[in-house]
Amino acid sequence: MKADIIIKNISNLITMQGENRPRTKDEMRDIGLIENGIVAINDDKIIYVGEGECPSTIEIDKDTIVIDGRGKTVTPGLVDSHTHLVHGGSRENELAMKLKGMEYLDILKMGGGIHSTVSATKKATFDELYEKAKKSLDVMLDFGITTVEAKSGYGIDDFQTELKQLEVAKKLNEDHPVDIVSTFLGAHAIPEEYKENPDKFVEILIEEMIPEVSKKGLAKYCDVFCEEAVFSIEQSRKILNAGKKHGLLPKIHADEIKPLGGAELAAEVGCVTADHLVAASDEGIKMMAEKKVIANLLPATSFNLQTGKFAKARKMIDSGVPVSLSTDYNPGSCPTENLQLAMSFASLIMKLTPEEVITAVTINGACALGMENEVGSIEEGKKADITIFDAPNLNYIIYHFGINHAERVIKKGILVK
Ligand code: IZC
Ligand code: ZN
């Protein structure tokens, strides 16, 4: 078969080869490293992965693009499996409040935070949201990300705005090289007019919005912000079960700030991922390990919230919970698209090894989005989503933090950077 692209002499080729399922414990340190590696691509697929040269069955001619991987580290395209990509406005006005010691939930309870982004998103036109999100996607691609998740959640009771966000994500998925997987997060905050009767809003979510989002095919997942002063455990359970009933797979913002028992609920409901988990209980972690719920950890958010508290990632991995890592890109608690920074935080602060980190943002990230059969590893037959880092080894990417090491990016067999 003809090679359209080959990458050869790769100093460190990280394949992540193995089964297409979430990796746990020791498996998270087994990255399928090949030194002096080579990868051949035909059309949008990987057709050969090995060491040294390609076998003679792979045709290389004058049209083949040959990339020299000497001194480089090559990985599967990174997966950012938790973002609030599509939104209007920004919230730098909250910085001064935070510096005075005001916390995220205080700002939200005062009617700011998510509510201020809801206003900005309602006001923004489809085109304005599209252009803003596209700019962020371009930055993500530049950092080596080839698949992202995008949540709604800035319309809440204004269903048209929820749909507008999901339609923007759908159009960007068609137009932009980065693949987008959408999540319905109507349950992101209690709207002002339902403050006294939040169960009424839960009913609207369950009876009207979830069935309609599912019918329109605008989301794969249903998520809920389960948190003090947001959605309770009981309300979250109802919302996630309603999503399941309508074919939307459950995800949950769990135990981000207060230990409500979100991890336990994630295990009970059978969530694909439970995200944040900074305040998760030991029992919750144990239950997640048993049910193989992926812990989607977001250390850049912990950093930005300035509480000094990070998820117990070591305990989770050692207990057998599969871990993925994401930016949580959003205008409030984590205004950055830089997944490489989150990767460094995961290692430097949460004490993951670089091998565990790269597993978390490739194959486990792909599992967090149900994309593990297409992406997340460099193996024959998989989509050619590949990032080439100008770094001699994996440790270097984690250690030299805060900058962008991604030099080339291949998405579905096309050189997009
Ligand atoms: O806009 O504050 N945590 N939702 C839950 C967010 C952060 C996004 C936001
Ligand atoms: Zn989030």
Side-chain angles (χ1 to χ4, degrees):
M1 201 186 296
K2 190 188 160 221
D4 297 317
I5 300 178
I6 61 165
I7 317 167
K8 59 191 293 193
N9 312 318
I10 303 167
S11 296
N12 275 277
L13 170 59
I14 295 170
T15 64
M16 297 312 312
Q17 67 199 9
E19 286 177 51
N20 294 331
R21 58 163 176 78
R23 311 281 168 87
T24 57
K25 290 192 169 174
D26 292 352
E27 293 167 354
M28 285 192 70
R29 295 184 280 277
D30 182 7
I31 61 174
L33 179 69
I34 302 175
E35 288 173 11
N36 189 28
I38 187 162
V39 179
I41 296 165
N42 171 272
D43 194 18
D44 64 344
K45 294 248 165 59
I46 295 163
I47 54 166
Y48 183 75
V49 183
E51 192 201 324
E53 298 295 328
C54 283
S56 57
T57 47
I58 306 287
E59 297 158 35
I60 298 169
D61 65 18
K62 63 175 185 8
D63 297 327
T64 304
I65 299 169
V66 180
I67 299 172
D68 187 13
R70 231 172 296 227
K72 315 290 180 193
T73 297
V74 172
T75 73
L78 306 183
V79 180
D80 189 348
S81 56
H82 183 137
T83 91
H84 302 249
L85 174 72
V86 182
H87 60 262
S90 56
R91 309 219 296 260
E92 65 275 23
N93 63 309
E94 291 174 8
L95 178 60
M97 303 182 215
K98 282 162 94 182
L99 293 177
K100 285 194 189 119
M102 204 182 253
E103 290 182 8
Y104 178 87
L105 286 180
D106 300 331
I107 299 171
L108 180 66
K109 286 173 195 164
M110 278 172 44
I114 293 171
H115 298 293
S116 98
T117 302
V118 167
S119 306
T121 308
K122 277 184 190 171
K123 280 192 202 114
T125 63
F126 181 97
D127 289 349
E128 284 164 350
L129 291 178
Y130 179 97
E131 286 308 322
K132 182 171 161 64
K134 180 178 175 295
K135 219 165 146 184
S136 286
L137 269 187
D138 289 344
V139 175
M140 289 169 171
L141 177 60
D142 196 47
F143 275 104
I145 297 165
T146 50
T147 304
V148 310
E149 187 238 20
K151 299 180 193 295
S152 67
Y154 294 119
I156 46 176
D157 55 331
D158 177 10
F159 191 45
Q160 290 315 311
T161 300
E162 288 288 320
L163 294 178
K164 183 170 67 176
Q165 282 185 277
L166 294 169
E167 296 280 5
V168 166
K170 184 176 176 213
K171 180 86 169 73
L172 278 168
N173 184 40
E174 287 159 14
D175 299 351
H176 197 279
V178 172
D179 279 326
I180 301 175
V181 179
S182 287
T183 296
F184 176 59
L185 180 60
H188 194 195
I190 308 288
E192 197 53 46
E193 53 274 41
Y194 295 96
K195 273 261 148 65
E196 301 310 316
N197 189 8
D199 285 333
K200 179 71 200 157
F201 181 55
V202 172
E203 195 185 308
I204 295 169
L205 280 164
I206 291 173
E207 303 291 333
E208 297 169 26
M209 297 190 189
I210 287 172
E212 190 64 16
V213 168
S214 162
K215 203 169 98 197
K216 286 182 182 292
L218 281 171
K220 177 169 178 179
Y221 296 98
C222 178
D223 194 347
V224 54
F225 188 13
C226 178
E227 185 58 73
E228 182 190 281
V230 195
F231 293 90
S232 69
I233 290 286
E234 293 71 31
Q235 291 165 338
S236 301
R237 181 186 288 113
K238 281 187 193 156
I239 293 162
L240 295 176
N241 281 330
K244 271 168 72 173
K245 194 176 126 203
H246 290 278
L248 302 179
L249 304 172
K251 279 181 176 279
I252 180 170
H253 284 67
D255 304 322
E256 175 181 1
I257 301 163
K258 301 279 153 88
L260 292 195
E264 289 87 334
L265 180 66
E268 176 201 313
V269 171
C271 286
V272 179
T273 67
D275 302 43
H276 289 289
L277 299 169
V278 175
S281 73
D282 290 351
E283 178 61 19
I285 292 172
K286 199 169 137 229
M287 287 172 70
M288 284 179 60
E290 277 161 17
K291 290 285 170 63
K292 291 285 169 281
V293 178
I294 298 170
N296 198 3
L297 305 183
L298 317 165
T301 306
S302 293
F303 167 79
N304 189 58
L305 287 177
Q306 304 172 42
T307 58
K309 293 182 192 146
F310 287 78
K312 292 184 213 150
R314 266 273 47 93
K315 185 182 171 80
M316 291 175 193
I317 293 180
D318 296 343
S319 313
V321 179
V323 166
S324 58
L325 283 167
S326 305
T327 56
D328 189 22
Y329 170 62
N330 76 74
S333 64
C334 199
T336 183
E337 296 91 341
N338 186 347
L339 184 59
Q340 291 177 45
L341 183 61
M343 291 162 63
S344 288
F345 287 160
S347 189
L348 299 171
I349 305 172
M350 300 199 305
K351 309 298 177 197
L352 265 59
T353 68
E355 289 77 14
E356 290 166 340
V357 168
I358 200 70
T359 301
V361 293
T362 56
I363 188 68
N364 281 11
C367 292
L369 297 180
M371 298 281 284
E372 66 273 18
N373 292 324
E374 291 98 72
V375 299
S377 62
I378 301 180
E379 293 181 277
E380 287 159 30
K382 278 214 169 169
K383 287 268 189 295
D385 285 13
I386 294 170
T387 299
I388 303 173
F389 292 94
D390 184 20
N393 54 58
L394 177 60
N395 286 351
Y396 188 88
I397 299 173
I398 302 297
Y399 138 92
H400 188 166
F401 75 94
I403 69 151
N404 184 8
H405 296 280
E407 185 177 68
R408 314 292 304 261
V409 180
I410 299 169
K411 177 66 192 176
K412 290 189 186 140
I414 296 169
L415 259 171
V416 286
K417 173 178 181 177

